[in-house]
Amino acid sequence: MTAVIEAEGLTKHYRSVRAVDEVSLRIEENTITGLLGRNGAGKTTLMQLLTGQEFATRGSIRVFGESPVESAGVLQRLSFIKESQKYPDDFKPKHVFATAPWFFPNWDGELAGRLIDDFRLPLNRRIKKLSRGQLSAVGVIVGLAARAPITFFDEPYLGLDAVARQIFYDRLLEDYAEHPRTVVLSTHLIDEVANLLEHVIVIDQGRILLDDEAEALRGSATTVVGTRTAVDSFVGGREVLHRDVLGGLASVTVGRLDPAERREAAELGLELAPVSLQQLVVQKTGAAAEPTGIEQTA
Amino acid sequence: MDDSRPIFVQIAELIENDVVSGALPEESQVPSTNEFAAFHRINPATAGKGVNLLVDKGVLYKKRGIGMFVAQGARDRLIADRRSQFQTEYVRPLVAEAEKLGITGEQLVQMIAEGSGA
């Protein structure tokens, strides 16, 4: 595996705010990576740094082995679909798709045409007059049809309805399978994309909290439910990710359990429930905001 | 897809189920990794990992440039494997639940006989 994006000690300060704080990461070629985190966690700033749109306060970035800042060779191989892309006044979607091939050498006009039909995008309406969802569709179409060797999608789905989001996920997988490339996708809708991701990076308060294969995270946490005494004795000295108590019942999330431990839990009459990637991220990023070990009594 | 186990393991199990049931006969071609990925809406690399798991187990084999096929004898081997796991995976939990409910061994045997239509 070769890393197409490498960052080392990457830091970005805005006055007193550390938007990105000592981030080191590697993104492998031809993988789909999910960049997950809460609002203000630093996802957008990180993507702006990686695409050369912001200057780092400290640290190094290598994209295809070079610094992306003002490097035409690197930048023409990137596409960055932002949540709020600005277009010239009086621009219509047809103008966007007519000019896109000037910037993206791999542009596939036929794919763009199919996506325009899929999303039922009006080509002749001024961009200003488009709905939020239609505006997002313009970005998604550009991001997919550009077939850039590295594509960043920063929350590309705003205003897209469930059907349109499913079209986006399906077309992304389809086109990625035929034309493998590196995709970095930032999103809040973790459950919707969890199965599309090969790699997951979770950031919180500018720092990397989790950086692992999606398959390794799957099953990395389990919720144990049962009577409080039984749960407490089973959980014992383990690290507890989350804990809820309801009367005499307790629901506690712990790390990975091996088959012997699962049998032990079953014999104690405890229920085991899987923890989805979304729940895992909520528990990991929510825990940092409140002191751990405090019992939430319902 | 459930969240408790890796998806590639679940993909491998789905293919194994089809081999055991005969839906995928021996020497037949299995769908491509990309077809599995599109159908289950999962990452193609994950689907590929599931297929490779079965190649390593000798359930599938690769014909270069054509695709993946079910190996000779795969069905019998899978059935033998599953029989050996039947005791731990099905009988033990069944007996444990029966004990909790106060169902005697005799009653359990009778219920199984009725359930299997014998």
Side-chain angles (χ1 to χ4, degrees), chain A residues 11 69 76 93 96 131 173 177 206 261 290:
Chain A
T11 299
V69 177
Q76 69 171 7
V96 175
S131 72
L173 266 191
E261 292 171 311
E290 54 191 275

Side-chain angles (χ1 to χ4, degrees), chain B residues 30-104:
Chain B
V30 300
S32 73
T33 297
N34 287 345
E35 285 168 330
F36 277 120
F39 184 80
H40 295 289
R41 297 190 155 128
I42 58 173
N43 189 294
T46 311
K49 238 175 128 182
V51 169
N52 285 333
L53 189 68
L54 294 183
V55 172
D56 293 343
K57 273 178 79 175
V59 174
L60 303 181
Y61 70 96
K62 188 175 191 167
K63 282 190 192 167
R64 201 167 286 280
I66 305 175
M68 293 290 178
F69 290 79
V70 180
Q72 225 24 280
R75 183 165 182 263
D76 287 345
R77 281 202 304 280
L78 287 174
I79 288 176
D81 280 356
R82 290 203 176 183
R83 282 190 178 164
S84 69
Q85 291 160 9
F86 192 77
Q87 175 79 12
T88 43
E89 292 199 358
Y90 294 91
V91 179
R92 264 170 65 172
L94 178 78
V95 171
E97 180 69 10
E99 276 171 5
K100 250 195 258 175
L101 303 178
I103 297 171
T104 66

Side-chain angles (χ1 to χ4, degrees), chain A residues 166 170 195-196 215 218, chain B residues 2 5 7-8 41-43:
Chain A
Q166 192 63 63
D170 286 353
N195 294 354
L196 310 187
E215 289 285 82
R218 196 165 268 278
Chain B
D2 78 60
R5 292 164 315 137
I7 299 178
F8 76 93
R41 297 190 155 128
I42 58 173
N43 189 294

Side-chain angles (χ1 to χ4, degrees), chain A residues 136-206:
Chain A
S136 292
V138 173
V140 163
I141 294 168
V142 170
L144 289 175
R147 290 215 181 113
I150 302 180
T151 308
F152 291 86
F153 285 107
D154 188 6
E155 291 178 33
Y157 51 75
L158 282 187
L160 288 181
D161 59 41
V163 176
R165 293 202 300 276
Q166 192 63 63
I167 292 171
F168 168 51
Y169 304 140
D170 286 353
R171 293 293 174 273
L172 171 64
L173 266 191
E174 225 174 80
D175 205 59
Y176 166 80
E178 277 172 46
H179 303 273
R181 52 202 195 257
T182 307
V183 176
V184 179
L185 176 64
S186 98
T187 181
H188 288 130
L189 304 175
I190 302 171
D191 276 343
E192 288 190 0
V193 301
N195 294 354
L196 310 187
L197 305 176
E198 188 172 344
H199 198 91
V200 173
I201 296 174
V202 177
I203 71 170
D204 195 45
Q205 298 178 346

Side-chain angles (χ1 to χ4, degrees), chain A:
Chain A
M1 290 281 245
T2 41
V4 286
I5 302 174
E6 288 169 287
E8 209 42 68
L10 193 58
T11 299
K12 174 72 185 177
H13 292 182
Y14 293 106
R15 297 177 187 275
S16 64
V17 179
R18 290 183 179 193
V20 170
D21 194 7
E22 293 289 330
V23 163
S24 298
L25 55 79
R26 287 166 57 89
I27 291 176
E28 305 290 343
E29 190 172 27
N30 298 341
T31 56
I32 303 180
T33 297
L35 184 58
L36 314 177
R38 302 181 61 178
N39 289 325
K43 303 186 294 289
T44 300
T45 307
L46 181 57
M47 288 199 261
Q48 284 172 332
L49 291 168
L50 296 179
T51 52
Q53 304 199 344
E54 278 282 6
F55 294 103
T57 309
R58 265 201 315 279
S60 73
I61 305 170
R62 287 280 172 276
V63 179
F64 296 115
E66 283 180 52
S67 166
V69 177
E70 293 187 2
S71 160
V74 172
L75 294 179
Q76 69 171 7
R77 291 192 273 171
L78 302 184
S79 109
F80 183 12
I81 304 305
K82 297 179 212 178
E83 170 200 337
S84 50
Q85 177 67 48
K86 296 282 182 287
Y87 298 94
D89 286 351
D90 296 333
F91 239 48
K92 297 174 177 176
K94 65 176 182 186
H95 300 125
V96 175
F97 302 127
T99 51
W102 305 347
F103 304 102
F104 301 111
N106 300 339
W107 179 263
D108 185 331
E110 198 215 326
L111 173 62
R114 269 189 286 140
L115 292 167
I116 289 162
D117 290 343
D118 285 342
F119 288 109
R120 301 182 184 165
L121 185 70
L123 285 178
N124 242 335
R125 195 174 298 170
R126 286 203 296 173
I127 296 240
K128 277 194 213 165
K129 302 282 182 193
L130 295 181
S131 72
R132 179 64 246 199
Q134 288 169 331
L135 184 62
S136 292
V138 173
V140 163
I141 294 168
V142 170
L144 289 175
R147 290 215 181 113
I150 302 180
T151 308
F152 291 86
F153 285 107
D154 188 6
E155 291 178 33
Y157 51 75
L158 282 187
L160 288 181
D161 59 41
V163 176
R165 293 202 300 276
Q166 192 63 63
I167 292 171
F168 168 51
Y169 304 140
D170 286 353
R171 293 293 174 273
L172 171 64
L173 266 191
E174 225 174 80
D175 205 59
Y176 166 80
E178 277 172 46
H179 303 273
R181 52 202 195 257
T182 307
V183 176
V184 179
L185 176 64
S186 98
T187 181
H188 288 130
L189 304 175
I190 302 171
D191 276 343
E192 288 190 0
V193 301
N195 294 354
L196 310 187
L197 305 176
E198 188 172 344
H199 198 91
V200 173
I201 296 174
V202 177
I203 71 170
D204 195 45
Q205 298 178 346
R207 288 174 168 268
I208 291 190
L209 215 58
L210 265 182
D211 181 355
D212 211 340
E213 300 298 310
E215 289 285 82
L217 293 174
R218 196 165 268 278
S220 70
T222 308
T223 298
V224 184
V225 185
T227 61
R228 209 165 154 174
T229 40
V231 170
D232 283 344
S233 79
F234 177 75
V235 168
R238 287 171 209 278
E239 191 201 353
V240 170
L241 292 172
H242 188 77
R243 179 184 172 86
D244 280 321
V245 174
L246 174 67
L249 295 176
S251 161
V252 173
T253 304
V254 294
R256 188 184 297 280
L257 299 178
D258 63 34
E261 292 171 311
R262 290 183 162 271
R263 270 200 298 281
E264 187 197 333
E267 278 156 20
L268 286 168
L270 298 172
E271 300 272 338
L272 296 178
V275 176
S276 72
L277 183 61
Q278 174 149 316
Q279 289 169 311
L280 185 68
V281 170
V282 167
Q283 295 186 353
K284 289 251 178 196
T285 57
E290 54 191 275
T292 47
I294 298 227
E295 246 177 44
Q296 292 184 0
T297 316

